[in-house]
Coordinates of all heavy atoms in Angstrom, one line a residue:
M1 N 0.8 -1.2 0.0 CA 0.0 0.0 0.0 C 0.9 1.3 0.0 O 0.8 2.0 -0.9 CB -0.9 0.0 1.2 CG -1.8 1.1 1.3 SD -2.8 1.0 2.7 CE -4.4 1.4 2.2
F2 N 1.7 1.4 1.0 CA 2.6 2.6 1.1 C 4.0 2.1 0.7 O 4.5 1.1 1.2 CB 2.7 3.2 2.5 CG 1.5 3.9 2.9 CD1 0.6 3.4 3.8 CD2 1.2 5.1 2.3 CE1 -0.5 4.1 4.2 CE2 0.1 5.8 2.7 CZ -0.8 5.3 3.7
K3 N 4.7 2.8 -0.2 CA 6.0 2.5 -0.5 C 6.9 3.0 0.6 O 6.7 4.0 1.3 CB 6.4 3.2 -1.8 CG 5.8 2.7 -3.1 CD 6.4 3.3 -4.3 CE 5.8 2.7 -5.5 NZ 6.4 3.3 -6.7
D4 N 8.0 2.3 0.8 CA 9.0 2.7 1.8 C 9.7 4.0 1.3 O 10.0 4.1 0.1 CB 10.1 1.6 1.9 CG 9.6 0.4 2.7 OD1 8.6 0.5 3.4 OD2 10.3 -0.6 2.6
L5 N 9.8 4.9 2.2 CA 10.5 6.2 1.8 C 12.0 5.9 1.9 O 12.5 5.2 2.7 CB 10.2 7.3 2.8 CG 8.7 7.7 2.8 CD1 8.4 8.7 3.9 CD2 8.3 8.3 1.4
D6 N 12.7 6.5 0.9 CA 14.2 6.4 0.9 C 14.8 6.9 2.2 O 14.7 8.1 2.5 CB 14.7 7.2 -0.3 CG 16.2 7.1 -0.5 OD1 17.0 6.7 0.4 OD2 16.7 7.3 -1.7
P7 N 15.4 6.0 3.0 CA 15.9 6.4 4.3 C 17.1 7.4 4.2 O 17.3 8.2 5.1 CB 16.4 5.1 4.9 CG 16.5 4.1 3.8 CD 15.6 4.6 2.7
L8 N 17.8 7.4 3.1 CA 18.8 8.3 2.9 C 18.3 9.7 2.7 O 18.9 10.7 3.2 CB 19.6 7.9 1.6 CG 21.0 8.5 1.5 CD1 21.9 8.1 2.6 CD2 21.6 8.1 0.2
L9 N 17.2 9.9 2.1 CA 16.6 11.2 1.9 C 15.6 11.6 3.0 O 15.3 12.8 3.1 CB 15.8 11.3 0.6 CG 16.7 11.1 -0.7 CD1 15.9 11.1 -2.0 CD2 17.8 12.1 -0.7
H10 N 15.2 10.7 3.8 CA 14.3 10.9 4.9 C 14.9 11.7 6.1 O 14.2 12.3 6.9 CB 13.6 9.6 5.3 CG 12.3 9.9 6.0 ND1 11.2 10.5 5.3 CD2 11.8 9.5 7.2 CE1 10.2 10.5 6.2 NE2 10.5 10.0 7.3
A11 N 16.2 11.7 6.1 CA 16.9 12.5 7.2 C 16.8 14.0 6.9 O 17.1 14.4 5.7 CB 18.3 12.0 7.3
Q12 N 16.5 14.8 7.8 CA 16.2 16.2 7.6 C 17.4 16.9 6.9 O 17.1 17.7 5.9 CB 15.9 16.9 9.0 CG 15.5 18.3 8.8 CD 15.1 18.9 10.1 OE1 14.9 18.2 11.1 NE2 15.1 20.2 10.2
L13 N 18.6 16.8 7.4 CA 19.7 17.5 6.8 C 20.0 17.1 5.3 O 20.2 17.9 4.4 CB 20.9 17.4 7.6 CG 22.2 18.2 7.1 CD1 21.9 19.7 6.8 CD2 23.3 18.1 8.1
R14 N 19.9 15.8 5.1 CA 20.2 15.3 3.7 C 19.1 15.7 2.8 O 19.3 16.1 1.6 CB 20.4 13.8 3.7 CG 21.6 13.3 4.4 CD 21.9 11.9 4.2 NE 21.0 11.0 4.8 CZ 21.1 10.4 6.0 NH1 22.2 10.6 6.7 NH2 20.2 9.6 6.4
L15 N 17.8 15.7 3.3 CA 16.7 16.2 2.5 C 16.8 17.7 2.2 O 16.6 18.1 1.0 CB 15.4 15.9 3.2 CG 14.1 16.3 2.5 CD1 14.0 15.6 1.1 CD2 12.9 16.0 3.3
A16 N 17.3 18.5 3.1 CA 17.5 19.9 2.9 C 18.6 20.1 1.9 O 18.4 21.0 0.9 CB 17.8 20.6 4.2
V17 N 19.7 19.4 1.9 CA 20.7 19.6 1.0 C 20.2 19.2 -0.4 O 20.5 19.9 -1.4 CB 21.9 18.7 1.4 CG1 22.9 18.6 0.2 CG2 22.6 19.2 2.6
M18 N 19.5 18.1 -0.5 CA 19.0 17.7 -1.8 C 18.0 18.7 -2.4 O 18.0 19.0 -3.6 CB 18.4 16.3 -1.8 CG 19.4 15.2 -1.5 SD 20.6 14.9 -2.8 CE 19.5 14.0 -4.0
S19 N 17.2 19.2 -1.5 CA 16.2 20.2 -2.0 C 16.9 21.4 -2.5 O 16.5 22.0 -3.6 CB 15.3 20.6 -0.8 OG 14.6 19.5 -0.4
L20 N 18.0 21.9 -1.9 CA 18.7 23.0 -2.4 C 19.4 22.7 -3.7 O 19.3 23.5 -4.6 CB 19.8 23.4 -1.3 CG 19.2 24.1 -0.1 CD1 20.3 24.1 1.0 CD2 18.8 25.5 -0.4
L21 N 20.0 21.5 -3.8 CA 20.7 21.2 -5.0 C 19.8 21.0 -6.2 O 20.3 21.1 -7.3 CB 21.6 20.0 -4.8 CG 22.8 20.2 -3.8 CD1 23.5 18.9 -3.6 CD2 23.7 21.3 -4.3
M22 N 18.6 20.6 -5.9 CA 17.6 20.4 -7.1 C 17.4 21.7 -7.9 O 17.1 21.6 -9.1 CB 16.3 19.9 -6.5 CG 16.2 18.5 -6.1 SD 16.4 17.3 -7.5 CE 14.9 17.5 -8.4
S23 N 17.6 22.8 -7.2 CA 17.4 24.1 -7.9 C 18.7 24.8 -8.3 O 18.6 26.0 -8.8 CB 16.5 25.0 -7.1 OG 17.1 25.3 -5.9
L24 N 19.8 24.2 -8.0 CA 21.1 24.9 -8.3 C 22.0 24.0 -9.1 O 21.9 22.8 -9.0 CB 21.8 25.1 -7.0 CG 21.1 26.0 -5.9 CD1 21.9 25.9 -4.6 CD2 21.1 27.4 -6.4
E25 N 22.8 24.6 -10.0 CA 23.8 23.8 -10.7 C 24.8 23.1 -9.8 O 25.2 22.0 -9.9 CB 24.5 24.7 -11.8 CG 25.4 23.9 -12.7 CD 25.9 24.8 -13.8 OE1 25.2 25.6 -14.3 OE2 27.1 24.6 -14.1
S26 N 25.2 23.9 -8.8 CA 26.2 23.4 -7.8 C 26.1 24.4 -6.6 O 25.6 25.5 -6.7 CB 27.6 23.3 -8.3 OG 28.1 24.6 -8.6
A27 N 26.7 23.9 -5.5 CA 26.7 24.8 -4.3 C 27.9 24.5 -3.5 O 28.4 23.3 -3.4 CB 25.4 24.5 -3.4
E28 N 28.5 25.5 -2.9 CA 29.7 25.4 -2.1 C 29.3 25.0 -0.7 O 28.1 25.2 -0.2 CB 30.4 26.7 -2.0 CG 31.0 27.2 -3.3 CD 31.7 28.5 -3.3 OE1 31.9 29.0 -2.1 OE2 32.2 29.0 -4.3
F29 N 30.2 24.3 -0.1 CA 30.0 23.8 1.3 C 29.5 24.9 2.2 O 28.5 24.7 3.0 CB 31.3 23.1 1.8 CG 31.2 22.5 3.2 CD1 30.8 21.2 3.3 CD2 31.4 23.3 4.3 CE1 30.7 20.6 4.6 CE2 31.3 22.7 5.6 CZ 31.0 21.4 5.7
T30 N 30.1 26.0 2.2 CA 29.8 27.1 3.1 C 28.3 27.6 2.9 O 27.6 27.9 3.8 CB 30.7 28.3 3.0 OG1 30.9 28.7 1.6 CG2 32.1 27.9 3.5
F31 N 27.9 27.6 1.6 CA 26.5 28.0 1.3 C 25.5 27.0 1.9 O 24.6 27.4 2.5 CB 26.3 28.1 -0.2 CG 24.9 28.3 -0.7 CD1 24.4 29.6 -0.7 CD2 24.1 27.2 -1.1 CE1 23.1 29.8 -1.1 CE2 22.8 27.4 -1.5 CZ 22.3 28.7 -1.5
L32 N 25.8 25.7 1.7 CA 24.9 24.7 2.3 C 24.9 24.7 3.8 O 23.8 24.6 4.4 CB 25.4 23.3 1.8 CG 25.2 23.0 0.3 CD1 25.8 21.7 -0.1 CD2 23.7 23.1 -0.2
K33 N 26.1 25.0 4.4 CA 26.2 25.0 5.8 C 25.3 26.2 6.4 O 24.6 26.1 7.3 CB 27.6 25.2 6.2 CG 27.9 25.3 7.7 CD 29.4 25.4 8.0 CE 29.7 25.7 9.4 NZ 29.4 27.1 9.8
E34 N 25.4 27.3 5.7 CA 24.6 28.5 6.1 C 23.1 28.3 5.9 O 22.3 28.6 6.8 CB 25.1 29.7 5.2 CG 24.3 31.0 5.5 CD 24.7 32.1 4.6 OE1 25.9 32.4 4.4 OE2 23.8 32.7 4.0
K35 N 22.7 27.8 4.8 CA 21.3 27.6 4.5 C 20.6 26.5 5.3 O 19.4 26.6 5.6 CB 21.1 27.2 3.0 CG 21.4 28.4 2.0 CD 20.5 29.5 2.2 CE 20.8 30.7 1.3 NZ 20.0 31.8 1.5
T36 N 21.4 25.5 5.7 CA 20.8 24.4 6.5 C 21.0 24.6 8.0 O 20.5 23.9 8.8 CB 21.4 23.1 6.1 OG1 22.8 23.1 6.4 CG2 21.1 22.8 4.7
S37 N 21.8 25.7 8.4 CA 22.1 25.9 9.8 C 22.7 24.7 10.5 O 22.5 24.4 11.7 CB 20.9 26.4 10.6 OG 20.3 27.5 10.0
S38 N 23.5 24.0 9.8 CA 24.2 22.8 10.3 C 25.6 23.1 10.7 O 26.2 24.1 10.3 CB 24.2 21.7 9.3 OG 25.0 22.0 8.2
T39 N 26.2 22.2 11.5 CA 27.6 22.4 11.8 C 28.4 21.8 10.7 O 27.9 21.0 9.9 CB 28.0 21.6 13.1 OG1 27.8 20.2 12.9 CG2 27.1 22.0 14.3
A40 N 29.7 22.2 10.6 CA 30.5 21.8 9.5 C 30.7 20.2 9.6 O 30.7 19.5 8.6 CB 31.9 22.5 9.6
G41 N 30.9 19.7 10.8 CA 31.1 18.3 11.0 C 29.9 17.5 10.5 O 30.1 16.5 9.8
N42 N 28.7 17.9 11.0 CA 27.5 17.1 10.6 C 27.3 17.2 9.1 O 27.0 16.2 8.5 CB 26.3 17.6 11.4 CG 25.1 16.7 11.3 OD1 25.2 15.6 10.9 ND2 24.0 17.3 11.6
L43 N 27.4 18.4 8.6 CA 27.2 18.5 7.1 C 28.2 17.7 6.3 O 27.8 17.0 5.4 CB 27.3 20.0 6.7 CG 27.1 20.3 5.2 CD1 25.7 19.8 4.8 CD2 27.3 21.8 4.9
S44 N 29.4 17.7 6.7 CA 30.4 16.9 6.1 C 30.1 15.4 6.1 O 30.1 14.7 5.0 CB 31.8 17.1 6.7 OG 32.8 16.3 6.1
V45 N 29.6 14.9 7.2 CA 29.2 13.5 7.3 C 28.0 13.2 6.4 O 28.0 12.2 5.7 CB 28.9 13.1 8.8 CG1 28.2 11.7 8.9 CG2 30.1 13.1 9.6
Q46 N 27.0 14.1 6.4 CA 25.8 13.8 5.6 C 26.2 13.9 4.1 O 25.6 13.2 3.3 CB 24.7 14.8 6.0 CG 24.3 14.7 7.4 CD 24.1 13.3 7.9 OE1 23.5 12.5 7.2 NE2 24.6 13.0 9.1
L47 N 27.0 14.8 3.7 CA 27.4 14.9 2.3 C 28.2 13.7 1.8 O 27.9 13.2 0.7 CB 28.3 16.2 2.1 CG 27.6 17.5 2.2 CD1 28.6 18.7 2.0 CD2 26.5 17.7 1.2
D48 N 29.0 13.1 2.7 CA 29.7 11.9 2.4 C 28.7 10.8 2.1 O 28.9 10.0 1.2 CB 30.7 11.5 3.5 CG 31.9 12.4 3.5 OD1 32.2 13.1 2.4 OD2 32.7 12.4 4.5
K49 N 27.7 10.7 2.9 CA 26.6 9.6 2.8 C 25.9 9.8 1.4 O 25.7 8.8 0.7 CB 25.6 9.7 3.9 CG 26.2 9.2 5.2 CD 25.2 9.2 6.3 CE 25.8 8.7 7.6 NZ 24.8 8.5 8.7
L50 N 25.6 11.0 1.1 CA 24.9 11.3 -0.2 C 25.9 11.0 -1.4 O 25.5 10.4 -2.4 CB 24.5 12.7 -0.3 CG 23.3 13.1 0.6 CD1 23.1 14.6 0.6 CD2 22.0 12.4 0.2
A51 N 27.2 11.3 -1.2 CA 28.1 11.0 -2.3 C 28.4 9.5 -2.4 O 28.5 9.0 -3.5 CB 29.5 11.7 -1.9
E52 N 28.4 8.7 -1.3 CA 28.6 7.3 -1.3 C 27.4 6.6 -2.1 O 27.6 5.6 -2.8 CB 28.6 6.7 0.1 CG 30.0 7.0 0.8 CD 29.9 6.5 2.2 OE1 29.1 5.7 2.6 OE2 30.8 7.0 3.0
A53 N 26.2 7.2 -2.0 CA 25.0 6.7 -2.7 C 25.0 7.2 -4.1 O 24.1 6.8 -4.8 CB 23.8 7.1 -1.9
E54 N 25.9 8.0 -4.5 CA 26.0 8.6 -5.8 C 24.8 9.5 -6.1 O 24.4 9.7 -7.3 CB 26.2 7.5 -6.9 CG 27.4 6.7 -6.7 CD 27.5 5.5 -7.8 OE1 26.5 5.3 -8.5 OE2 28.6 4.9 -7.8
Y55 N 24.3 10.1 -5.1 CA 23.2 11.1 -5.2 C 23.8 12.5 -5.5 O 23.2 13.3 -6.1 CB 22.4 11.2 -4.0 CG 21.4 10.0 -3.8 CD1 21.4 8.9 -4.7 CD2 20.5 10.1 -2.8 CE1 20.5 7.9 -4.5 CE2 19.6 9.0 -2.6 CZ 19.6 7.9 -3.4 OH 18.7 6.9 -3.2
I56 N 25.1 12.7 -5.1 CA 25.8 14.0 -5.3 C 27.2 13.6 -5.7 O 27.7 12.5 -5.4 CB 25.7 14.9 -4.1 CG1 26.5 14.4 -2.9 CG2 24.3 15.3 -3.8 CD1 26.7 15.4 -1.8
V57 N 27.9 14.6 -6.2 CA 29.3 14.6 -6.5 C 30.0 15.7 -5.7 O 29.5 16.8 -5.7 CB 29.6 14.7 -8.0 CG1 31.1 14.9 -8.2 CG2 29.0 13.6 -8.8
L58 N 31.0 15.3 -5.0 CA 31.8 16.3 -4.2 C 33.1 16.6 -5.0 O 33.8 15.7 -5.3 CB 32.1 15.8 -2.8 CG 31.0 15.5 -1.9 CD1 31.5 14.9 -0.6 CD2 30.1 16.7 -1.6
E59 N 33.3 17.9 -5.2 CA 34.5 18.3 -5.9 C 35.3 19.1 -4.9 O 34.9 20.2 -4.4 CB 34.2 19.2 -7.1 CG 35.4 19.6 -7.9 CD 35.0 20.4 -9.1 OE1 34.2 20.0 -9.9 OE2 35.5 21.6 -9.2
K60 N 36.5 18.7 -4.6 CA 37.4 19.3 -3.6 C 38.5 20.0 -4.3 O 39.3 19.3 -5.0 CB 37.8 18.3 -2.5 CG 36.7 17.7 -1.7 CD 37.1 16.8 -0.6 CE 35.9 16.2 0.0 NZ 35.7 16.7 1.3
T61 N 38.6 21.3 -4.2 CA 39.6 22.1 -4.8 C 40.2 23.1 -3.8 O 39.9 23.0 -2.6 CB 39.1 22.8 -6.1 OG1 38.0 23.7 -5.7 CG2 38.6 21.8 -7.1
F62 N 40.9 24.1 -4.3 CA 41.4 25.2 -3.4 C 41.0 26.5 -4.0 O 41.0 26.6 -5.3 CB 42.9 25.1 -3.2 CG 43.3 24.0 -2.3 CD1 43.5 22.7 -2.8 CD2 43.4 24.2 -1.0 CE1 43.9 21.7 -1.9 CE2 43.8 23.2 -0.1 CZ 44.0 21.9 -0.6
R63 N 40.7 27.5 -3.2 CA 40.5 28.8 -3.6 C 41.6 29.6 -2.9 O 41.6 29.8 -1.7 CB 39.1 29.4 -3.2 CG 39.0 30.9 -3.6 CD 37.6 31.4 -3.2 NE 36.6 30.9 -4.1 CZ 35.3 30.7 -3.7 NH1 34.9 31.1 -2.5 NH2 34.4 30.2 -4.5
G64 N 42.7 29.8 -3.7 CA 43.9 30.4 -3.1 C 44.5 29.2 -2.2 O 44.7 28.1 -2.8
K65 N 44.7 29.5 -1.0 CA 45.2 28.4 -0.1 C 44.1 27.8 0.8 O 44.4 26.9 1.5 CB 46.3 29.0 0.8 CG 47.5 29.5 0.1 CD 48.5 30.0 1.0 CE 49.8 30.4 0.2 NZ 50.8 30.8 1.1
K66 N 42.9 28.2 0.6 CA 41.8 27.6 1.4 C 41.1 26.5 0.6 O 40.8 26.6 -0.6 CB 40.7 28.7 1.7 CG 41.3 29.8 2.6 CD 40.2 30.7 3.0 CE 40.7 31.7 4.0 NZ 39.6 32.6 4.5
P67 N 40.8 25.4 1.3 CA 40.0 24.3 0.7 C 38.6 24.7 0.3 O 38.0 25.5 1.0 CB 40.0 23.2 1.7 CG 40.5 23.8 3.0 CD 41.1 25.1 2.7
L68 N 38.1 24.2 -0.8 CA 36.8 24.6 -1.3 C 36.1 23.3 -1.7 O 36.6 22.5 -2.6 CB 36.9 25.5 -2.5 CG 35.6 25.9 -3.2 CD1 34.7 26.7 -2.3 CD2 35.9 26.6 -4.5
T69 N 35.0 23.0 -1.1 CA 34.2 21.8 -1.5 C 32.9 22.3 -2.2 O 32.2 23.1 -1.7 CB 33.8 21.0 -0.3 OG1 35.0 20.5 0.4 CG2 33.0 19.8 -0.7
T70 N 32.7 21.8 -3.4 CA 31.5 22.1 -4.2 C 30.7 20.8 -4.4 O 31.3 19.8 -4.7 CB 31.9 22.7 -5.6 OG1 32.8 23.8 -5.3 CG2 30.7 23.2 -6.3
C71 N 29.4 21.0 -4.3 CA 28.5 19.8 -4.4 C 27.6 20.0 -5.6 O 27.2 21.1 -5.9 CB 27.6 19.7 -3.2 SG 28.5 19.7 -1.6
R72 N 27.4 18.9 -6.3 CA 26.5 18.9 -7.5 C 25.6 17.6 -7.4 O 26.1 16.5 -7.1 CB 27.4 18.9 -8.7 CG 26.6 19.0 -10.0 CD 27.6 19.2 -11.2 NE 28.9 18.5 -11.1 CZ 29.1 17.2 -11.4 NH1 28.1 16.5 -11.9 NH2 30.3 16.7 -11.3
I73 N 24.4 17.8 -7.7 CA 23.5 16.6 -7.7 C 23.7 15.8 -9.0 O 24.0 16.4 -10.0 CB 22.0 17.1 -7.5 CG1 21.1 15.9 -7.1 CG2 21.5 17.8 -8.8 CD1 19.8 16.3 -6.6
T74 N 23.6 14.5 -8.9 CA 23.7 13.6 -10.1 C 22.4 13.3 -10.6 O 21.3 13.5 -10.0 CB 24.5 12.3 -9.7 OG1 23.6 11.6 -8.8 CG2 25.8 12.6 -9.0
P75 N 22.3 12.8 -11.9 CA 21.1 12.3 -12.4 C 20.4 11.2 -11.5 O 19.2 11.2 -11.3 CB 21.5 11.7 -13.8 CG 22.7 12.5 -14.2 CD 23.4 12.7 -12.9
K76 N 21.2 10.4 -10.9 CA 20.7 9.4 -9.9 C 20.1 10.1 -8.7 O 19.0 9.6 -8.2 CB 21.8 8.4 -9.5 CG 21.4 7.3 -8.5 CD 22.5 6.4 -8.2 CE 22.1 5.3 -7.2 NZ 23.2 4.4 -6.8
G77 N 20.7 11.1 -8.3 CA 20.2 11.9 -7.2 C 18.9 12.6 -7.5 O 17.9 12.6 -6.7
V78 N 18.8 13.2 -8.7 CA 17.5 13.8 -9.2 C 16.4 12.8 -9.2 O 15.3 13.0 -8.7 CB 17.7 14.4 -10.6 CG1 16.4 14.9 -11.1 CG2 18.7 15.6 -10.5
A79 N 16.7 11.6 -9.8 CA 15.7 10.6 -9.9 C 15.2 10.1 -8.5 O 14.0 9.9 -8.2 CB 16.2 9.4 -10.7
A80 N 16.2 9.9 -7.6 CA 15.8 9.5 -6.2 C 15.0 10.6 -5.5 O 14.0 10.2 -4.8 CB 17.1 9.2 -5.4
F81 N 15.4 11.8 -5.7 CA 14.6 12.9 -5.0 C 13.2 13.0 -5.6 O 12.2 13.1 -4.8 CB 15.3 14.2 -5.2 CG 14.7 15.4 -4.5 CD1 15.0 15.7 -3.2 CD2 13.7 16.2 -5.2 CE1 14.4 16.7 -2.5 CE2 13.1 17.2 -4.5 CZ 13.4 17.5 -3.2
E82 N 13.1 12.9 -6.9 CA 11.7 12.9 -7.5 C 10.9 11.7 -7.0 O 9.7 11.9 -6.8 CB 11.8 13.0 -9.0 CG 12.4 14.3 -9.5 CD 12.6 14.4 -11.0 OE1 12.7 13.3 -11.6 OE2 12.8 15.5 -11.5
Q83 N 11.5 10.6 -6.9 CA 10.7 9.4 -6.4 C 10.3 9.6 -5.0 O 9.2 9.2 -4.6 CB 11.6 8.1 -6.6 CG 10.8 6.8 -6.3 CD 9.6 6.6 -7.2 OE1 9.8 6.6 -8.4 NE2 8.4 6.5 -6.6
Y84 N 11.2 10.1 -4.2 CA 10.9 10.4 -2.8 C 9.7 11.3 -2.7 O 8.8 11.1 -1.9 CB 12.1 11.0 -2.1 CG 11.9 11.3 -0.6 CD1 12.1 10.4 0.3 CD2 11.5 12.6 -0.2 CE1 11.9 10.7 1.7 CE2 11.3 12.9 1.1 CZ 11.5 11.9 2.0 OH 11.2 12.2 3.4
V85 N 9.7 12.4 -3.5 CA 8.6 13.3 -3.4 C 7.3 12.6 -3.8 O 6.2 12.8 -3.2 CB 8.9 14.6 -4.3 CG1 7.6 15.4 -4.5 CG2 10.0 15.4 -3.7
T86 N 7.3 11.8 -4.9 CA 6.2 11.1 -5.3 C 5.7 10.1 -4.3 O 4.4 10.1 -4.0 CB 6.5 10.3 -6.6 OG1 6.9 11.2 -7.7 CG2 5.3 9.4 -7.1
D87 N 6.6 9.4 -3.6 CA 6.2 8.5 -2.6 C 5.6 9.2 -1.4 O 4.6 8.8 -0.8 CB 7.4 7.6 -2.1 CG 7.9 6.7 -3.2 OD1 7.1 6.4 -4.2 OD2 9.0 6.2 -3.1
L88 N 6.2 10.3 -1.0 CA 5.7 11.1 0.1 C 4.3 11.6 -0.2 O 3.4 11.6 0.7 CB 6.6 12.3 0.4 CG 6.4 13.1 1.7 CD1 6.3 12.1 2.9 CD2 7.4 14.1 1.9
K89 N 4.0 12.0 -1.4 CA 2.7 12.5 -1.8 C 1.7 11.4 -1.6 O 0.5 11.7 -1.2 CB 2.7 13.0 -3.2 CG 3.3 14.4 -3.4 CD 3.3 14.8 -4.9 CE 4.0 16.1 -5.0 NZ 4.0 16.5 -6.5
Q90 N 2.0 10.2 -1.8 CA 1.1 9.1 -1.6 C 0.7 9.0 -0.2 O -0.5 8.7 0.2 CB 1.7 7.7 -2.1 CG 1.8 7.6 -3.6 CD 2.5 6.3 -4.0 OE1 3.1 5.6 -3.2 NE2 2.2 5.9 -5.3
Y91 N 1.6 9.2 0.7 CA 1.3 9.2 2.2 C 0.4 10.4 2.5 O -0.6 10.2 3.2 CB 2.6 9.4 3.0 CG 3.4 8.1 3.2 CD1 4.2 7.6 2.2 CD2 3.3 7.5 4.4 CE1 5.0 6.5 2.4 CE2 4.1 6.3 4.7 CZ 4.9 5.8 3.7 OH 5.6 4.7 3.9
L92 N 0.6 11.5 1.9 CA -0.2 12.7 2.2 C -1.6 12.7 1.6 O -2.5 13.3 2.2 CB 0.6 14.0 1.8 CG 1.9 14.2 2.4 CD1 2.7 15.4 1.8 CD2 1.8 14.4 3.9
N93 N -1.7 12.0 0.5 CA -3.0 12.0 -0.2 C -3.8 10.8 0.0 O -4.8 10.6 -0.6 CB -2.7 12.2 -1.7 CG -2.1 13.5 -2.1 OD1 -2.4 14.5 -1.4 ND2 -1.3 13.6 -3.1
H94 N -3.3 9.9 0.9 CA -4.0 8.7 1.2 C -5.3 8.9 1.9 O -5.4 9.7 2.8 CB -3.1 7.8 2.1 CG -3.8 6.5 2.5 ND1 -4.0 5.5 1.6 CD2 -4.4 6.1 3.7 CE1 -4.7 4.5 2.2 NE2 -4.9 4.9 3.5
T95 N -6.3 8.3 1.4 CA -7.6 8.3 2.0 C -8.0 6.9 2.4 O -7.8 6.0 1.7 CB -8.7 8.9 1.0 OG1 -8.7 8.0 -0.2 CG2 -8.5 10.3 0.6
P96 N -8.5 6.8 3.7 CA -8.9 5.5 4.2 C -9.9 4.8 3.3 O -10.8 5.5 2.8 CB -9.4 5.8 5.6 CG -8.9 7.1 5.9 CD -8.7 7.9 4.6
S97 N -9.8 3.5 3.2 CA -10.8 2.7 2.4 C -12.0 2.5 3.3 O -12.0 2.3 4.4 CB -10.2 1.4 2.0 OG -9.1 1.6 1.3

């Protein structure tokens, strides 16, 4: 009756990151940290989980001498996010029989 929600996307911080990336070509770590009000450590762990699932790609470079991490959503991540939204709508629109 109800589909299982993707546990990777069901976590609040990961869902927030994916929501932001759905509307952006890419986003810097500091932007995501600011928009999600998360700590650097927690955000880093959650981004690694999304990257391991191939929902996002992390690009680590330098701006001058400072490290710069840029995140980009992958086609797999877009598909997973869209499926998550569809599945969640089924929960919200469910009417008892």
Side-chain angles (χ1 to χ4, degrees):
M1 181 181 222
F2 288 107
K3 288 186 177 182
D4 289 340
L5 296 175
D6 184 337
L8 199 60
L9 296 180
H10 203 58
Q12 183 176 344
L13 181 52
R14 291 189 298 261
L15 181 59
V17 167
M18 293 293 286
S19 297
L20 288 165
L21 292 176
M22 283 294 289
S23 62
L24 302 169
E25 186 175 319
S26 65
E28 294 180 6
F29 182 89
T30 52
F31 173 83
L32 294 173
K33 182 177 169 285
E34 177 185 308
K35 291 296 182 185
T36 60
S37 300
S38 65
T39 64
N42 191 18
L43 181 59
S44 180
V45 167
Q46 302 312 319
L47 291 178
D48 285 344
K49 288 181 181 187
L50 290 170
E52 285 173 21
E54 299 178 350
Y55 285 4
I56 66 169
V57 172
L58 298 175
E59 182 179 308
K60 297 183 184 253
T61 59
F62 286 88
R63 179 180 288 153
K65 293 184 179 184
K66 292 185 178 184
L68 175 67
T69 300
T70 304
C71 308
R72 185 173 33 86
I73 197 165
T74 64
K76 181 178 179 180
V78 170
F81 184 85
E82 289 173 346
Q83 185 63 55
Y84 178 86
V85 170
T86 297
D87 294 344
L88 188 57
K89 284 180 182 177
Q90 288 179 343
Y91 278 78
L92 298 174
N93 295 328
H94 176 72
T95 54
S97 303

